[in-house]
Amino acid sequence: MSTTVIGLASPAMPAPRESMLRLFAAQFASSKLALLGLVFLVLFLMLAIFAPWIAPQNPFELATLNIMDSKLPPGSVSSNGAMTYWLGTDGQARDVFSAILYGLRISLIVGFVTVSAAFTIGATVGLISAYFGGRIDALLMRIVDIQLSFPAILVALVLLAVLGKGVDKVIYALVAVQWAYFARAARGAAIVERNKEYVQAARCMSLSWQRILWRHIFPNCIPPLMVIATIDLAHAIALEATLSFLGVGVPVTEPSLGMLISNGYEFMMSGAYWIAFYPGIALALVVVAINMVGDHLRDILNPRNEI
Amino acid sequence: MSALVFTALYLVGDPVSMLASPEATDAERELIRQSLGLDLPLWRQYLIFLNKALVHLDFGNSFLTGEPAMRLILDRMPATLELATAAMALAVLIGVPLGIYAGLKPESLGARSVMTSSVLGFSLPNFWVGLMLIMVFAVFLHWLPAGGRGPVETFGPIQLSIFSWEGWRSLILPVTTIATAKCALIIRVTRAATRECLPLDYIKFARARGLSEARVLGVHLLKNILIPIVTIAGLEYGQVFAFAVVTESVFSWPGIGKLLIDSIITLDRPVVVAYLMLTVVFLSLLNLVVDIIYTILDPRVQAKAGA
């Protein structure tokens, strides 16, 4: 099939690195939806990073809030005439647009930190498990099985009940939920690689196992792990939003998108829909954009997996 | 498993602090502790629990209401069963035809849009879909109730709400919320199975015999793609039943998911433990049922087991 870049992983192909990257880029660009998703993702990243400079108001600076401006519909002008609330204001007179930018920051930080940590822990466990096999493998994989047999939302709920509220605690809970997916994928990929000739050659050179594992096997396991990482990034952001919505996630002082939606929920019935609606749209766009990218990456990197 | 849950909950916190009023004296607190059996060491508590649970199916009384924990759960179970069954039925009824269509003409515009919207379906967080549905159909259009359960009719110990128009009206939104996510999954599985089966000889032969397209697809193809669909539908049914926490919270649906999250927050240990035990039993039974359905769908499974 012409859509295979798996060859990228094989050391038998001495093509220069740059052209492979270009090949990959060309393949990625073959799906307009995935490109659109990537554009949105980059846009949201920029918005989150530069939030303090873009946002018309700092929603945490309580002194700047004017309680007369609370629950204004989108497009209203503030009572001192200084700014327009394009997306309206919430119950505490915060500009919804500014709150979204800051909320986006928290959501994305939780997502990226969670996935990086889960990737590191999971890949280490998976690679060690595959490389040594035997009892270590059986033990580690049994732990992974137990972990995966509990649904993510339940494990996170119970953990957060123990740990309490806080951005860092949400991250611990999400890492505890997600590392197992990486461990399983890394082990699967590494077991295939372990018996290939280049690994045998490396063993013959009596390189240390750490070196073989990280410098030889690991780079070839990256493609499937990247797919998992993208999908889990979207998953982590959605899960954090759900937990915050249920009231066990981030504290009120550091509202993520899920928290903003939860706050707006009570006003929705009385018709002030914009307080929950616009953060909801932002959340949906982020999650869908990441999933569009992930879905296409999966098509490119493992064409056999059709589901 | 039961030991794991028990110990984890022991660590979660002190239920006495939730139960006693803030003005209670230390002596009063101690009295509550003794009456609930919380003054004993953990292993004694666990043995007492095991003895009661295994011999009398008694999981203790709820700390909060004093009713037997199992009764509380069983009272609420029909509501969740109703919700889960209706949602899975809807997901299968919509998902399977769309999946077959997407598998038949993978390059057509219709199939592509089905696949794209299925990415939406499983990437959007559940609570988000629920909120948007409430906003459109309950707040703006006033067509459907925003939450709660309609009037119920009692059949012995079981109460069902599907026999009245009002009951159906309250079911529509939560059912749609759950079905959106599950439908996306079923579409993808059906499509993959269809694409796998279509090039096989028996389909070509059926077509060569001049059978109508409806018969080829509805009988010959459907029979063979049913196995993965039944597997996924069965597993997902268990998930929906056991962990409808989010949807039930959004719609204040009086089912066991809502009970679980309330009990986790109020540290009502007996209810949480009884809930998890019941769920494990239910999921195992469901697996058994799915296995039995296999042997009916695919005679080869039985032949192998007998050999």
Side-chain angles (χ1 to χ4, degrees), chain A:
Chain A
M1 254 207 297
S2 62
T3 50
T4 325
V5 238
I6 286 288
L8 183 145
S10 144
M13 226 171 62
R17 194 177 200 97
E18 205 184 274
S19 81
M20 277 190 288
L21 271 179
R22 201 173 299 154
L23 184 70
F24 180 75
Q27 269 190 348
F28 188 82
S30 71
S31 162
K32 292 203 176 65
L33 268 175
L35 264 188
L36 191 69
L38 193 65
V39 169
F40 264 97
L41 185 58
V42 172
L43 178 75
F44 278 119
L45 275 177
M46 291 296 155
L47 283 179
I49 292 169
F50 299 110
W53 293 278
I54 302 172
Q57 182 194 65
N58 183 350
F60 302 114
E61 198 81 44
L62 291 176
T64 62
L65 302 179
N66 183 350
I67 201 68
M68 295 296 289
D69 287 354
S70 69
K71 288 201 276 176
L72 289 178
S76 310
V77 180
S78 67
S79 54
N80 59 13
M83 62 181 281
T84 309
Y85 300 118
W86 291 112
L87 301 181
T89 60
D90 71 1
Q92 286 148 340
R94 272 194 291 248
D95 175 35
V96 171
F97 178 64
S98 309
I100 290 176
L101 292 183
Y102 280 85
L104 201 59
R105 267 188 148 185
I106 309 237
S107 290
L108 287 174
I109 288 173
V110 169
F112 277 103
V113 174
T114 301
V115 168
S116 321
F119 188 109
T120 315
I121 298 172
T124 312
V125 170
L127 285 178
I128 287 178
S129 190
Y131 189 78
F132 291 104
R135 283 222 188 118
I136 296 178
D137 185 28
L139 176 73
L140 289 175
M141 282 306 118
R142 187 52 37 84
I143 298 174
V144 168
D145 284 343
I146 292 176
Q147 170 80 68
L148 290 181
S149 68
F150 291 100
I153 182 96
L154 196 72
V155 176
L157 263 178
V158 173
L159 277 176
L160 283 174
V162 182
L163 297 170
K165 278 189 176 188
V167 173
D168 49 339
K169 281 143 191 152
V170 173
I171 292 175
Y172 295 143
L174 291 180
V175 171
V177 167
Q178 292 200 324
W179 70 273
Y181 294 100
F182 289 98
R184 184 170 277 185
R187 176 178 175 270
I191 276 188
V192 177
E193 298 297 324
R194 185 183 64 186
N195 299 321
K196 287 197 177 158
E197 281 166 1
Y198 72 92
V199 177
Q200 288 171 0
R203 280 215 182 111
C204 287
M205 291 168 71
S206 73
L207 296 175
S208 73
W209 65 267
Q210 288 99 329
R211 195 183 157 103
I212 297 177
L213 209 54
W214 289 111
R215 300 292 295 275
H216 294 255
I217 297 182
F218 176 64
N220 290 316
C221 298
I222 289 178
L225 288 177
M226 281 315 294
V227 177
I228 305 258
T230 327
I231 290 164
D232 272 3
L233 176 64
H235 200 172
I237 292 175
L239 210 52
E240 181 276 319
T242 307
L243 291 168
S244 298
F245 179 76
L246 290 176
V248 291
V250 297
V252 194
T253 47
E254 290 167 289
S256 66
L257 290 176
M259 191 79 201
L260 292 176
I261 300 171
S262 175
N263 288 341
Y265 183 43
E266 47 189 305
F267 299 109
M268 211 167 74
M269 297 301 164
S270 57
Y273 68 91
W274 56 89
I275 306 174
F277 179 70
Y278 291 113
I281 293 294
L283 175 70
L285 282 176
V286 172
V287 174
V288 171
I290 298 172
N291 263 315
M292 290 288 178
V293 174
D295 201 48
H296 190 54
L297 271 187
R298 176 162 49 188
D299 286 349
I300 302 176
L301 294 177
N302 29 334
R304 273 188 54 79
N305 190 345
E306 288 265 326
I307 293 173

Side-chain angles (χ1 to χ4, degrees), chain B residues 219-239:
Chain B
V219 178
H220 295 256
L221 178 73
L222 193 63
K223 258 189 180 175
N224 278 277
I225 61 173
L226 266 183
I227 287 192
I229 297 175
V230 167
T231 315
I232 292 291
L235 291 179
E236 291 300 317
Y237 180 75
Q239 293 281 322

Side-chain angles (χ1 to χ4, degrees), chain A residues 33 146 149-151 153-154 157-158 161-162 231 234 238 241-242 245-248 258 261-262 265 268-271 273 276-277 279-285 287-288 291-292 295 298 306-307, chain B residues 1 4-5 8-9 11-12 115-116 119-120 122-128 131-132 134-135 139-140 146 185 188-189 191-192 195 239 243 245-246 249-252 260-261 264-265 267 275-276:
Chain A
L33 268 175
I146 292 176
S149 68
F150 291 100
I153 182 96
L154 196 72
L157 263 178
V158 173
V162 182
I231 290 164
T242 307
F245 179 76
L246 290 176
V248 291
I261 300 171
S262 175
Y265 183 43
M268 211 167 74
M269 297 301 164
S270 57
Y273 68 91
F277 179 70
I281 293 294
L283 175 70
L285 282 176
V287 174
V288 171
N291 263 315
M292 290 288 178
D295 201 48
R298 176 162 49 188
E306 288 265 326
I307 293 173
Chain B
M1 168 70 200
L4 205 69
V5 171
L9 287 175
L11 298 171
V12 167
M115 290 313 285
T116 308
V119 175
L120 286 183
F122 71 77
S123 55
L124 289 175
N126 225 321
F127 81 96
W128 188 89
L131 276 184
M132 291 298 136
I134 291 182
M135 206 178 79
V139 179
F140 286 164
L185 207 63
R188 302 199 137 222
V189 172
R191 171 177 174 269
R195 290 188 64 180
Q239 293 281 322
F243 309 106
V245 185
V246 179
S249 301
V250 173
F251 290 96
S252 18
L260 176 71
I261 184 149
I264 288 182
I265 289 172
L267 302 174
Y275 175 91
L276 291 177

Side-chain angles (χ1 to χ4, degrees), chain B residues 145-218:
Chain B
R149 201 175 176 209
V152 289
E153 279 180 49
T154 311
F155 300 90
I158 298 169
Q159 296 182 317
L160 291 175
S161 68
I162 51 171
F163 296 100
S164 65
W165 170 232
E166 271 306 305
W168 272 108
R169 276 170 36 108
S170 326
L171 257 178
I172 292 176
L173 290 185
V175 162
T176 315
T177 306
I178 299 177
T180 316
K182 301 307 165 195
C183 192
L185 207 63
I186 289 183
I187 289 178
R188 302 199 137 222
V189 172
T190 312
R191 171 177 174 269
T194 307
R195 290 188 64 180
E196 213 164 279
C197 278
L198 268 189
L200 297 184
D201 286 344
Y202 78 98
I203 294 276
K204 284 184 194 148
F205 179 60
R207 287 215 169 110
R209 271 161 62 202
L211 296 180
S212 71
E213 192 68 10
R215 195 171 163 78
V216 173
L217 296 182

